[in-house]
Each structure stands twice: as structure tokens, then as C-alpha cells.
Amino acid sequence: MNKQAALLLVSHVEGIAEGLKELLIQVATDVTIITAGGLDDGSVGTSFDRISAAITDCESNTIWCFYDLGSAKMNLEIAAETTDKEVMILDAAFVEGAYTAASLLQAEVKLDEIMQQLSPLMVKN
Amino acid sequence: MATIEQWLEALLHFCEEIPQHKDQLNQLDSAIGDGDHGSNMTRGVQAVKDKLDTSSYSELTDLFKDIGMTLVSKVGGASGPLYGSAFISMAKTATESSDPTALMAAGLEGIKKRGRAEPGEKTMIDVWQPLVDKLHAGQLTQEAVSEAFQNTKEMKASKGRASYLGDRSIGHLDPGAQSSAYLFDCLMKAGVLNE
Ligand SMILES: Nc1ncnc2c1ncn2[C@@H]1O[C@H](COP(=O)(O)OP(=O)(O)O)[C@@H](O)[C@H]1O
Ligand SMILES: [Mg+2]
């Protein structure tokens, strides 16, 4: 397993988070990829509790997070403020950003270099 | 200065008011969002009501903290972290001050910090900001509440889901501004905020 960082995918829809994970696993079999999609009852939304639990349960202490829409980011921020882990929230295009990070983590590229590769994909403000 | 009983009365009233306006809030959100603001807020305030009914509070800070964390956990939409951050920010300020104006100003700052919106972006901030300004000036009125809410109609959304609509967001009232107007109404009715 790549020990540098795990990836957390947060989406309003469980199927989107799981589907993106499926896409990433193809190129990143040694990267820990966790998800927090939708609400507990399966409906659309983002759940602070699910995000928080995903971060807590994750074996890695460094977690890079990608998200779909802005409200997912707000919940991620609160979760980041309430954990001791190093949680980084990336404002990159959800699919392309996470795919880039996953491929480069798999190739054991260093985090700051991955960060540079992500910079043109930062499309959210 | 408002007592903790008055705050409780106001906030419990808010918990009853929101479910009564669930359909209206959903309809406002259907026009410029995903139609769930009433359902989201109803889920949140029902959990808050359960929490308040089974707890007792002697400090405002504990009351606000519980409300904030419950809303963050239960609402499920952007309004969850936003209202949640408002109450968590109020809880912090409540350790130093029980002045309602200072507390509402802290709530506003919490929302701004979380959502990074400024006035004029067609969000709940457009109710909170002018009304906190009125509070500072000692001029909060019922009319000011509805005026602030009505003013969101002609604004173009540049934050939140409605921002994806661009110019098409103009001409519709903002759902979060409406639920915030209900909050201010409840706080005024219970005498926490003075007319
Ligand atoms: N960045 C933001 N800052 C302040 N308020 C916002 C922001 N984004 C959204 N809102 C408020 O949240 C309301 C929508 O809440 P809700 O429908 O519950 O969440 P969602 O948009 O996730 O479905 C909007 O009407 C607006 O008032
Ligand atoms: Mg909505």
C-alpha cells in the first residue's frame, strides 16, 4: 500500500463516489481510497457524520479529499477541524483531480509534486 | 438582556415553525436549487427539538453548541454546515458575552467563514447581514426582516447551488434567506431581539 496519503471521495450521491472509486482503482491498486457518498438513508446529500467516520476509520493519517459540490466542501471543512489527522481538501475537478492524484500516488510521486500537477485542475473557488 | 428561557422559547418555536413551512421552503428551492431546503431544515430542527426536549441548559454556550452540532449532523444540505457554523460560532462568543447583538453577529461571521459568501450573492447572508446591521443600530423591525428577505429576489446568485443558474436565478426568492427570516421572527417574538 502507498503510505503517503489516502484519498477520500465525497459526493452527494453514493453511486458517484463509489463509481469514481471504481475508476481510480484501475490505475491505483495500491492506494487507499475511501468514500463518503450520500446520506445515511441512501438519499442525496452530504453527511458530516459519514465523512467524519470515514476519516476516523481510515488507516492513513494523511488524507487527501476530493468533492463534487460546495456543500460537500463545507462538511469536509468541519470534519477536518474536528480531527487530529492531516486532512487536505482539494478544490480540483472531482473526476480529473482524483484520477490524477490516484495515478501519481500509485507511481509513488511525492506529495508536493502531485500538488503541482493538480494546480491546473483547481476549478472550484 | 434576554434570558436562556427566552432563547429556548424562540428556538423551540423555530423548530415548530420550519416544519409548518416545509413545502414552501421546498418550493422556493425548486425554483433555483434542488427542492430540498424545507425537507433538510425539517430533518434538522426535528433532531434539535428531540435534543432540547431531553436536555436542560444553564449556559447559553451549551445550548448553542448542541444545536450547532445537531444541525451539522442532521440537515444534509449546505444549510446544515452553514446554520451549524452559525450556532457553533455563537457558542464560542457566548462564553464571553450574552448580548444578543454580539451573538447574532457571531452567527453571521460563522456563516461567512464557512460559505465564503458576501452580501449580495443571494444567500441567507442577505438576511443575516442587514439584520445584524439593524441590531447594531438598535433598529430591528418586523418590516426590516421581510424587506431583507424580499431583496434577495432581484439578486443574481453567485454562491451555492443557485449560482449554477447564473442570470436565471434572478426573480426568485432565496430559500435560505426565508428560513433565516423565520429564525429572526422567532427571536423577535420571544423578545430575544427587540423590535
Ligand atoms: N456559500 C454559501 N453561503 C451562504 N449561504 C449559502 C451558501 N450556499 C448555499 N447557501 C444557502 O443555503 C440555501 C440552500 O440550502 P439547502 O437547499 O438546504 O442546501 P443544498 O443547496 O445543499 O441543497 C440557499 O438558499 C442559501 O441561502
Ligand atoms: Mg437544496
Side-chain angles (χ1 to χ4, degrees):
Chain A
M1 271 291 156
N2 180 303
K3 297 275 179 251
Q4 290 194 88
L7 298 182
L8 169 59
L9 312 175
V10 182
S11 170
H12 280 66
V13 177
E14 187 159 22
I16 294 181
E18 291 301 326
L20 180 54
K21 177 177 173 173
E22 189 182 341
L23 179 71
L24 303 190
I25 283 176
Q26 297 227 290
V27 292
T29 43
D30 299 319
V31 179
T32 303
I33 301 170
I34 55 176
T35 63
L39 301 182
D40 277 339
D41 62 2
S43 62
V44 175
T46 58
S47 153
F48 165 78
D49 292 348
R50 283 169 85 96
I51 295 171
S52 214
I55 290 173
T56 305
D57 295 345
C58 182
E59 67 221 36
S60 178
N61 272 317
T62 305
I63 304 170
W64 282 24
C65 310
F66 295 87
Y67 62 92
D68 56 4
L69 300 177
S71 52
K73 179 178 183 174
M74 295 187 217
N75 276 320
L76 262 170
E77 283 178 341
I78 300 177
E81 287 164 15
T82 50
T83 175
D84 294 332
K85 294 194 177 184
E86 199 190 312
V87 175
M88 176 122 78
I89 302 165
L90 294 141
D91 298 324
F94 191 39
V95 175
E96 292 83 348
Y99 188 89
T100 303
S103 328
L104 295 176
L105 280 171
Q106 177 70 30
E108 307 212 344
V109 175
K110 291 277 160 281
L111 292 186
D112 51 351
E113 212 173 305
I114 300 181
M115 205 51 181
Q116 275 174 25
Q117 297 248 24
L118 283 173
S119 67
L121 294 172
M122 298 295 179
V123 295
K124 295 163 174 163
N125 48 22
Chain B
M1 205 73 76
T3 62
I4 195 163
E5 287 75 25
Q6 283 174 296
W7 277 99
L8 262 169
E9 182 193 329
L11 294 166
L12 281 168
H13 184 205
F14 180 65
C15 292
E16 285 161 14
E17 198 77 358
I18 289 291
Q20 285 176 20
H21 297 283
K22 180 174 142 186
D23 294 340
Q24 180 223 0
L25 293 168
N26 281 341
Q27 270 161 24
L28 290 174
D29 197 27
S30 293
I32 53 170
D34 57 345
D36 63 1
H37 186 59
S39 305
N40 287 343
M41 290 299 293
T42 295
R43 187 164 50 223
V45 296
Q46 277 167 350
V48 168
K49 189 172 187 310
D50 289 345
K51 182 79 197 168
L52 299 187
D53 284 348
T54 53
S55 312
S56 67
Y57 296 95
S58 55
E59 301 293 338
L60 273 180
T61 184
D62 299 327
L63 171 66
F64 293 153
K65 184 156 178 260
D66 276 1
I67 294 175
M69 286 317 292
T70 305
L71 291 174
V72 166
S73 283
K74 300 295 176 198
V75 171
S79 48
L82 289 163
Y83 276 107
S85 297
F87 279 98
I88 292 166
S89 173
M90 289 164 74
K92 284 186 192 133
T93 295
T95 59
E96 295 155 12
S97 168
S98 54
D99 172 21
T101 298
L103 292 167
M104 297 308 283
L108 168 63
E109 285 317 308
I111 300 172
K112 280 184 166 172
K113 177 176 166 258
R114 186 62 61 211
R116 295 181 186 81
E118 290 299 322
E121 297 198 87
K122 198 183 187 92
T123 70
M124 57 176 72
I125 296 277
D126 292 306
V127 162
W128 282 77
Q129 180 74 65
L131 299 186
V132 166
D133 291 346
K134 292 275 184 202
L135 278 170
H136 280 299
Q139 294 173 341
L140 184 65
T141 58
Q142 213 78 58
E143 295 75 57
V145 177
S146 62
E147 191 187 320
F149 166 51
Q150 291 298 332
N151 282 343
T152 64
K153 187 164 183 177
E154 293 313 317
M155 292 176 186
K156 175 176 164 178
S158 50
K159 281 285 179 332
R161 250 175 228 273
S163 66
Y164 295 98
L165 289 175
D167 286 338
R168 293 295 181 96
S169 65
I170 297 171
H172 301 281
L173 292 157
D174 179 63
Q178 173 68 91
S179 59
S180 294
Y182 289 139
L183 176 62
F184 277 86
D185 278 340
C186 292
L187 291 167
M188 288 174 76
K189 285 210 182 84
V192 172
L193 305 179
N194 301 110
E195 173 116 28

